[in-house]
């Protein structure tokens, strides 16, 4: 709304200052302008058709004609200015009210004065002023109209224009003007408050709706809303990503026949509300079903969780239990283990011990150290009850890691080779966990991957929009018999190993919603692949 300030003309605040929304104020002004046009046209039509009341122009025919025609012309001009908004709202509103008071007063005088009852039309204008302007301005125009009516009465009485005069009626009409102005202003204020409350509630609802949409669309879990006939009404980005679909499907069967069948089975047996299934996109998901009652019909919520998220929760629970267990038994195991080790050392220091017994004490020391290392590994794993994930730029992080590893292991520059297909890839993971996983994989590659045949390759790439690290050595691969036990605890083909390195690595990966797997490359080289969470995706975990 234009900010025209005419306080220098009328001692009142801007009409828009008391809170009516701009669009509503302009609409009310258009309604008032239309009322004025109809009233002016009605005066002229009734006067020239001689079908109206006989009082129209009864006292001063010429004045009535001029006043009616002037009223009509000013109404048309102000309507044009209003339509094109050639002037500010305040100026136009006050101009219409002021001209109405003057012209209606002239028409009332031309018809025979205050006794004709024409003055009541000024009350309509005062009421409109209360709605359109409000505040001191409305009271100012009420005072102006009251003085104008009283002045017209004094003028008529002084010059004996009419046979009778009525100061009492003029005073009552003036009081009515003030009352109407006050009441209309109060009503306008109440209307304004209701409008502001409705606008605020509308804004709040709109913000909540946008927030709900944002949360739903950025949930890490897939959300699908379906009806009784399995027609999909809504699905978030995570659900489409898990199903590897570019657009919203029509039915559940379009995502997975197995999912549709599981949903149908759940409707028959509501107690079984979850299922593990494989989507056609090769994603393993945990699906849960829930009934959502609405006002008109039942809709159903299908929650799809990546198996990595599901495993992470299981992993956290498992590590918490393992931590409590290992904390309670570590002391009980290490105390007798320490006593055995100490006794073996004392026995080995005996000068009279035979070579055969010395060999036995060496076996005791070797295996006590191995048991102690197993306990240390388990305690280290159990302490990782949670992960502090952060955004890690993989390329620079790996360069720093390999530089540190070469220095710690006294390795040459050609021991490891870093291959990076996309330097901008970043992952969401605990850096300490990532280091521990790579420590295990790189140590295994150095120990079993025949590093003498060439550099161990560490490559960075993306698979299904997920950043992946691959540790590729020169080994001939793991035989099929051992492959199915590869990530099991305490499984090892080395006499000196604990069998916990790969198990810990896989557990830490699942704790960070990552996936560690073993593959053979095209040229039959061993490859451990770690697929991580994409840090560029905004996800909300619940």
């Amino acid at each position: 709304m234009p900010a025209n300030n005419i306080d220098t003309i009328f001692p009142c605040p801007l009409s828009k200052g008391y809170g009516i929304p701009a669009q509503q104020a302009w609409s009310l002004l258009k309604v008032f302008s239309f009322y004025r046009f109809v009233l002016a046209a009605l005066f002229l039509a009734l006067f020239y058709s001689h079908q109206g009341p006989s009082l129209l122009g009864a006292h001063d025919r010429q004045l009535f004609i001029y006043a009616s025609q002037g009223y009509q012309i000013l109404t048309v001009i102000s309507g044009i200015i209003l339509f094109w908004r050639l002037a500010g709202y305040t100026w136009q509103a006050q101009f219409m009210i002021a001209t109405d008071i003057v012209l209606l007063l002239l028409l009332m005088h031309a018809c025979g004065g205050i006794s004709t009852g024409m003055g009541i039309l000024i009350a309509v204008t005062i009421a409109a002023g209360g709605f359109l302007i409000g505040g001191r301005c409305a009271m100012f125009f009420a005072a102006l109209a009251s003085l104008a009516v009283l002045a017209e009465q004094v003028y008529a009485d002084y010059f004996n224009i009419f046979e009778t005069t009525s100061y009492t009626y003029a005073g009552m009409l003036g009081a009515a003007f003030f009352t109407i102005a006050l009441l209309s202003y109060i009503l306008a204020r109440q209307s304004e408050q209701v409008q502001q409350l409705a606008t605020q509630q509308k804004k709040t609802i709109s913000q909540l709706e946008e927030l709900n949409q944002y949360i739903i669309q950025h949930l890490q879990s897939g959300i699908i809303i379906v009806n009784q006939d399995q027609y999909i009404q809504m699905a978030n980005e995570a659900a489409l990503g898990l199903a590897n679909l570019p657009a919203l499907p029509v039915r559940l069967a379009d995502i997975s026949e197995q999912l549709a069948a599981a949903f149908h089975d759940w409707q028959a047996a509501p107690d079984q509300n979850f299922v593990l299934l494989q989507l056609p996109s090769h994603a393993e998901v945990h699906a849960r079903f829930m009934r959502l009652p609405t006002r008109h019909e039942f809709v159903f919520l299908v929650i799809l969780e990546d198996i990595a998220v599901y495993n992470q929760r299981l992993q956290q629970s498992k590590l918490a239990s393992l931590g409590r267990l290992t904390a309670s038994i570590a002391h009980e195991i290490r105390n007798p283990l320490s006593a055995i080790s100490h006794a073996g050392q004392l026995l080995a220091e005996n000068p009279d011990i035979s070579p055969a017994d010395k060999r036995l004490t060496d076996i005791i020391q070797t295996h006590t150290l191995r048991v102690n290392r197993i306990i240390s590994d388990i305690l280290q794993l159990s302490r990782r009850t949670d992960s502090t994930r952060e955004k890690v730029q993989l390329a620079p992080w790996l360069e720093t890691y390999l530089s540190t590893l070469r220095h710690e292991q006294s390795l040459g520059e050609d021991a490891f080779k870093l291959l990076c297909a996309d330097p901008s890839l970043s992952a969401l993971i605990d850096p300490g966990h990532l280091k521990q996983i790579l420590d295990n994989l790189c140590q295994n590659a150095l120990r079993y991957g025949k590093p003498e045949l060439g550099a161990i390759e560490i490559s960075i790439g993306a698979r299904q929009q997920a950043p992946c690290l691959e540790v590729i050595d020169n080994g001939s691969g793991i035989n099929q018999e051992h492959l199915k036990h590869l990530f099991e605890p305490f499984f090892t083909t080395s006499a000196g190993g604990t069998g916990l390195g790969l198990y810990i690595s896989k557990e830490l990966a699942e704790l960070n919603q990552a996936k560690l797997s073993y593959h053979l490359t095209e040229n039959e080289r061993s490859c451990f692949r770690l697929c991580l969470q994409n840090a560029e995706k905004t996800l909300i975990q619940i």
Side-chain angles (χ1 to χ4, degrees):
M1 188 181 296
N4 302 60
N5 192 335
I6 59 169
D7 284 351
T8 55
I9 299 176
F10 293 110
C12 56
L14 293 177
S15 59
K16 62 187 178 186
Y18 76 95
I20 292 181
Q23 193 59 39
Q24 181 183 354
W26 283 105
S27 299
L28 289 174
L29 192 59
K30 289 177 181 177
V31 171
F32 181 57
S33 179
F34 178 74
Y35 157 77
R36 297 172 74 239
F37 177 81
V38 171
L39 184 62
L42 191 61
F43 280 147
L44 290 173
L46 292 176
F47 180 77
Y48 285 112
S49 65
H50 303 289
Q51 294 181 2
S54 58
L55 59 89
L56 295 180
H59 171 68
D60 192 335
R61 177 184 178 88
Q62 200 69 23
L63 178 61
F64 186 87
I65 293 173
Y66 289 152
S68 298
Q69 291 177 345
Y71 196 19
Q72 185 71 45
I73 293 171
L74 285 176
T75 302
V76 172
I77 293 174
S78 63
I80 294 173
I81 295 174
L82 176 61
F83 180 79
W84 294 103
R85 295 195 183 182
L86 300 177
Y89 171 88
T90 303
W91 186 89
Q92 292 190 64
Q94 293 183 349
F95 177 77
M96 289 182 185
I97 294 170
T99 53
D100 258 30
I101 293 174
V102 173
L103 291 172
L104 289 175
L105 186 68
L106 292 176
L107 290 170
M108 181 185 74
H109 184 78
C111 291
I114 195 172
S115 59
T116 61
M118 290 281 290
I120 199 64
L121 292 175
I122 301 178
V124 177
T125 300
I126 299 303
F131 281 102
L132 295 173
I133 302 175
R136 295 194 306 271
C137 227
M139 302 306 293
F140 169 77
F141 281 115
L144 180 64
S146 300
L147 291 174
V149 170
L150 183 60
E152 188 273 341
Q153 190 68 18
V154 170
Y155 173 79
D157 186 28
Y158 184 78
F159 290 101
N160 292 320
I161 296 175
F162 307 122
E163 293 181 1
T164 60
T165 56
S166 179
Y167 288 101
T168 304
Y169 184 50
M172 293 176 62
L173 195 58
F177 291 161
F178 279 102
T179 304
I180 291 171
L182 181 61
L183 291 176
S184 61
Y185 171 66
I186 294 174
L187 290 175
R189 290 290 294 180
Q190 291 179 345
S191 174
E192 165 209 342
Q193 293 172 358
V194 172
Q195 180 70 26
Q196 287 179 343
L197 180 60
T199 302
Q200 183 62 38
Q201 290 178 340
K202 181 180 179 181
K203 183 178 178 181
T204 302
I205 292 172
S206 178
Q207 290 176 341
L208 289 175
E209 184 177 359
E210 291 178 4
L211 182 61
N212 289 339
Q213 286 294 327
Y214 180 86
I215 292 174
I216 291 172
Q217 289 300 327
H218 290 80
L219 279 174
Q220 193 171 25
S221 301
I223 301 295
I224 302 174
I225 304 296
V226 298
N227 62 11
Q228 182 75 29
D229 300 321
Q230 299 190 12
Y231 282 97
I232 296 177
Q233 299 179 357
M234 190 275 289
N236 66 353
E237 294 178 3
L240 298 179
L242 287 172
N244 197 23
L245 295 174
L248 184 69
V250 178
R251 304 193 66 189
L252 276 183
D254 297 332
I255 298 177
S256 168
E257 293 288 349
Q258 187 181 0
L259 178 62
F263 179 81
H264 182 269
D265 293 341
W266 169 72
Q267 288 181 301
D271 293 338
Q272 187 64 28
N273 64 345
F274 69 91
V275 65
L276 292 173
L277 52 89
Q278 181 107 19
L279 296 181
S281 61
H282 306 293
E284 291 182 301
V285 299
H286 176 265
R288 285 186 293 153
F289 308 108
M290 187 181 302
R291 185 188 299 267
L292 299 177
T294 61
R295 182 179 300 179
H296 304 292
E297 62 175 346
F298 277 99
V299 294
F300 302 91
L301 174 67
V302 181
I303 303 175
L304 302 180
E305 287 185 311
D306 191 341
I307 200 67
V309 180
Y310 183 69
N311 287 341
Q312 182 198 29
R313 294 173 180 169
L314 292 179
Q315 183 67 9
Q316 289 173 338
S317 176
K318 181 167 59 176
L319 289 180
S321 300
L322 181 60
R324 291 191 294 269
L325 176 63
T326 53
S328 63
I329 68 175
H331 178 74
E332 299 298 329
I333 294 179
R334 275 185 163 169
N335 278 348
L337 188 64
S338 177
I340 293 170
S341 176
H342 184 63
Q345 289 177 358
L346 293 176
L347 186 61
E349 293 172 0
N350 187 349
D352 299 328
I353 191 172
S354 64
D357 291 339
K358 182 68 169 61
R359 172 61 180 160
L360 292 176
T361 59
D362 291 340
I363 293 174
I364 292 173
Q365 291 300 319
T366 300
H367 285 282
T368 52
L369 289 174
R370 183 183 179 189
V371 172
N372 187 65
R373 190 162 63 250
I374 290 174
I375 294 173
S376 298
D377 288 343
I378 294 175
L379 283 173
Q380 184 182 30
L381 174 63
S382 65
R383 292 190 189 104
R384 301 288 188 176
T385 56
D386 202 356
S387 63
T388 306
R389 296 194 295 169
E390 59 185 64
K391 183 178 180 179
V392 176
Q393 290 287 344
L394 293 177
W397 189 92
L398 281 173
E399 288 178 358
T400 304
Y401 169 78
L402 290 178
S403 176
T404 304
L405 182 63
R406 292 188 188 102
H407 177 74
E408 291 177 349
Q409 300 291 329
S410 300
L411 301 172
E413 290 293 327
D414 58 348
F416 289 92
K417 181 179 179 182
L418 180 61
L419 304 175
C420 185
D422 186 357
S424 65
L425 285 176
S426 59
L428 195 64
I429 190 171
D430 187 320
H433 291 177
L434 180 59
K435 180 182 183 303
Q436 189 172 352
I437 294 171
L438 285 178
D439 281 344
N440 288 331
L441 297 181
C442 291
Q443 290 296 336
N444 284 349
L446 289 172
R447 188 178 298 117
Y448 310 113
K450 301 179 182 179
E452 66 276 5
L453 298 181
I456 298 169
E457 294 180 1
I458 298 182
S459 67
I460 307 172
R463 291 178 176 270
Q464 296 182 350
Q465 300 181 343
C468 294
L469 302 180
E470 291 184 345
V471 179
I472 305 173
D473 59 39
N474 303 301
S476 57
I478 301 174
N479 63 52
Q480 292 296 323
E481 181 182 353
H482 294 158
L483 192 58
K484 60 183 178 180
H485 303 293
L486 185 60
F487 295 104
E488 292 181 1
F490 306 112
F491 172 76
T492 179
T493 57
S494 171
T498 63
L500 287 172
L502 288 178
Y503 171 72
I504 291 174
S505 297
K506 188 173 180 65
E507 296 292 291
L508 291 176
E510 291 181 353
L511 191 59
N512 288 272
Q513 297 182 25
K515 183 178 181 181
L516 179 63
S517 56
Y518 174 80
H519 307 274
L520 281 177
T521 63
E522 295 178 356
N523 53 359
E524 300 297 319
R525 298 172 66 187
S526 289
C527 171
F528 283 92
R529 180 181 298 151
L530 178 65
C531 290
L532 306 167
Q533 282 285 314
N534 192 340
E536 300 302 327
K537 290 186 176 181
T538 303
L539 297 175
I540 300 173
Q541 300 183 50
I542 296 180

